[in-house]
Amino acid sequence: MEIEALKQMDLDYVLHTYARNYTHFIKGSGATLYDAGGRDYIDFGSGIAVCSVGHGNLRLAEAIYKQAKNLIHTSNLYCIEPQARLAKRLVELSGYDMRVFFANSGAEANEGALKIARKFGAERGGRYQIITLDSSFHGRTISTLKATGQENMHTYFGPFPDGFLYAKDIEDIPNKISNVTCAVLLELVQGEGGITPFDKQEVQNLAKFLKTKDILLMIDEVQTGIYRSGELFASQVYGIAPDVITTAKGLAGGVPIGAVMTNLKDIFSPGDHGSTFGGNFLATTAALEVLEILEEIKQSGKLRGITDYFTQKLQSLQKSHSDIFLQEVGLGLMRGLRLKSQELLSKFLQESFNEGVLILKSGKNTARFLPSLTITKEEIDRGFERIDSAIKRFV
């Protein structure tokens, strides 16, 4: 279909919830995408951290095909073998003594976490308050939107559920705690808040403090999870043992899935929570293959090598263009470049796209890099060569 016809169809029939770039991608290979005109783009965003094993991954495609030709879905009224196997694998790889509930997205996983927190609090005298951070992002359902500590995202959609309070930073959280607080929910690296990794010691101190207060520590790993930090979960990098972990995005390489894990193994009873599609045969089979692929590249040292290489490239770019870049930030393959202004960020993103590189925005002035974890050095080199060309177009 011609791009203009496709654009008009989209404008006529799809709700306008995205500020789209009307590019029509038709195939991908590794970290490279191809549009309908045959032009290639180096994808440094991987579908917002979703395509963890790259585009067109043959192992993932074969696993999906084999499962789809037998069973895609039966519902959670019956036992689902790949779901049980996936839960076991997540627990084993994380090292956390937990049970798992499967949903369809990060927002749904966070909804599950909020319900866990509320039931936990109800069983302790009616505690209900959940503390999150300014600049956080936890989803777009009514509850997770209220949990998101960005006031501009709350316009139009109230009234919201009660019981959410925002702290300005990690050290401010104890100041917000009261006798009705049941949980703290936070990202260890704020994905939408400017790729901001929190201080490891501060997080560890908070974890110990919450334990003494019998308050749940819930870590939103929707974006940081599934080896993007270098470990299965960023919680492992930070050396903490959360009570609840949520994850989604990269878990099934592009097949919709979400998961909430908790050490409160018996917090829910049948009927307390559920999902029609969550954890079905297709999604959990895909996730099992993704985990196998990523565990292999981690154990071989390839993940560490490619992470170091990508980080070095970013640091070199920042140093050579300190007139526009303030600093390089991030953790693992969740990286950011701070620019000196929003205007420079807009030019950088647009000119990079014009040169055939996909880069994302985070916060007010941060360019966000979330490449697939299987990206090659050759693809990284091509991407940064194009970025150099892009910068020359506006500096």
Side-chain angles (χ1 to χ4, degrees):
M1 179 180 288
E2 292 293 330
I3 187 62
E4 286 304 316
L6 176 60
K7 176 179 178 179
Q8 194 58 53
M9 185 185 297
D10 181 84
L11 290 170
D12 288 344
Y13 296 105
V14 179
L15 275 173
H16 301 167
T17 55
Y18 305 103
R20 292 198 199 278
N21 186 321
Y22 280 95
T23 305
H24 182 199
F25 295 120
I26 60 171
K27 67 177 180 179
S29 177
T32 306
L33 284 166
Y34 299 87
D35 67 17
R39 186 184 180 194
D40 69 275
Y41 299 73
I42 301 300
D43 185 4
F44 281 169
S46 63
I48 317 181
V50 167
C51 304
S52 52
V53 295
H55 303 289
N57 187 289
L58 296 180
R59 284 180 56 177
L60 177 57
E62 183 65 21
I64 291 171
Y65 168 71
K66 285 182 177 179
Q67 184 59 60
K69 71 178 182 178
N70 289 316
L71 277 176
I72 291 177
H73 179 86
T74 59
S75 93
N76 284 299
L77 297 176
Y78 313 100
C79 187
I80 300 170
E81 181 183 346
Q83 182 185 114
R85 288 173 53 216
L86 178 59
K88 181 175 184 287
R89 198 75 184 115
L90 286 169
V91 168
E92 290 173 342
L93 290 172
S94 69
Y96 297 131
D97 185 16
M98 293 178 164
R99 284 182 178 161
V100 188
F101 173 86
F102 291 104
N104 307 284
S105 67
E108 284 189 31
N110 283 334
E111 284 280 356
L114 297 178
K115 288 178 71 174
I116 287 171
R118 289 289 171 81
K119 187 170 184 184
F120 172 86
E123 293 175 347
R124 284 158 177 77
R127 291 154 54 190
Y128 62 89
Q129 191 176 76
I130 298 167
I131 298 172
T132 67
L133 293 179
D134 289 343
S135 300
S136 61
F137 180 83
H138 298 293
R140 294 184 182 276
T141 63
I142 289 296
S143 294
T144 58
L145 194 62
K146 186 58 176 175
T148 293
Q150 299 182 49
E151 190 59 38
N152 64 300
M153 299 190 73
H154 300 159
T155 308
Y156 304 122
F157 303 116
F160 290 98
D162 292 332
F164 293 94
L165 194 63
Y166 313 117
K168 63 182 180 181
D169 53 31
I170 298 289
E171 291 185 326
D172 186 41
I173 290 174
N175 301 326
K176 303 295 183 180
I177 290 174
S178 70
N179 59 1
V180 294
T181 305
C182 62
V184 170
L185 172 65
L186 63 103
E187 306 154 277
L188 295 173
V189 183
Q190 290 189 328
E192 299 291 337
I195 310 299
T196 306
F198 290 108
D199 179 77
K200 184 174 181 179
Q201 190 60 58
E202 287 184 7
V203 172
Q204 291 180 347
N205 291 343
L206 175 66
K208 292 174 184 176
F209 176 77
L210 295 179
K211 191 69 67 178
T212 67
K213 298 294 184 179
D214 193 29
I215 293 171
L216 298 182
L217 175 58
M218 308 198 300
I219 304 298
D220 179 339
E221 301 237 24
V222 169
Q223 194 164 146
T224 57
I226 318 303
Y227 294 103
R228 187 148 294 278
S229 69
E231 298 292 340
L232 180 68
F233 294 120
S235 304
Q236 295 165 280
V237 177
Y238 276 73
I240 59 172
D243 299 294
V244 179
I245 291 174
T246 60
T247 195
K249 288 191 180 291
L251 179 54
V255 178
I257 193 170
V260 54
M261 304 171 59
T262 180
N263 58 20
L264 303 171
K265 293 183 176 183
D266 298 309
I267 189 69
F268 284 152
S269 299
D272 280 347
H273 198 43
S275 171
T276 296
F277 295 103
N280 71 14
F281 279 90
L282 186 69
T284 52
T285 295
L288 281 166
E289 189 64 30
V290 167
L291 286 183
E292 186 171 328
I293 293 168
L294 295 180
E295 179 65 8
E296 287 175 7
I297 66 169
K298 179 184 185 298
Q299 293 300 327
S300 70
K302 290 181 180 178
L303 180 58
R304 169 50 57 193
I306 211 70
T307 300
D308 290 345
Y309 190 72
F310 195 92
T311 303
Q312 289 165 10
K313 286 283 190 177
L314 277 177
Q315 291 172 346
S316 177
L317 183 69
Q318 187 273 320
K319 290 175 182 176
S320 61
H321 294 284
S322 58
D323 53 328
I324 60 172
F325 298 118
L326 293 170
Q327 64 179 138
E328 186 272 337
V329 293
L331 177 69
L333 281 174
M334 185 176 178
R335 315 300 304 190
L337 281 177
R338 298 247 200 279
L339 285 90
K340 291 189 174 182
S341 69
Q342 294 183 50
E343 181 183 3
L344 281 173
L345 174 61
S346 296
K347 290 180 180 179
F348 176 66
L349 296 180
Q350 185 58 54
E351 294 299 343
S352 293
F353 177 84
N354 292 340
E355 288 292 328
V357 186
L358 307 183
I359 304 170
L360 307 171
K361 178 181 181 292
S362 176
K364 294 181 179 179
N365 66 326
T366 302
R368 176 169 41 162
F369 297 79
L370 302 166
S372 68
L373 308 184
T374 54
I375 192 172
T376 65
K377 288 184 177 181
E378 292 73 22
E379 288 170 318
I380 293 172
D381 287 342
R382 289 207 306 276
F384 278 94
E385 287 169 5
R386 295 178 184 187
I387 288 174
D388 280 331
S389 297
I391 291 173
K392 292 174 183 177
R393 295 173 66 149
F394 69 92
V395 173

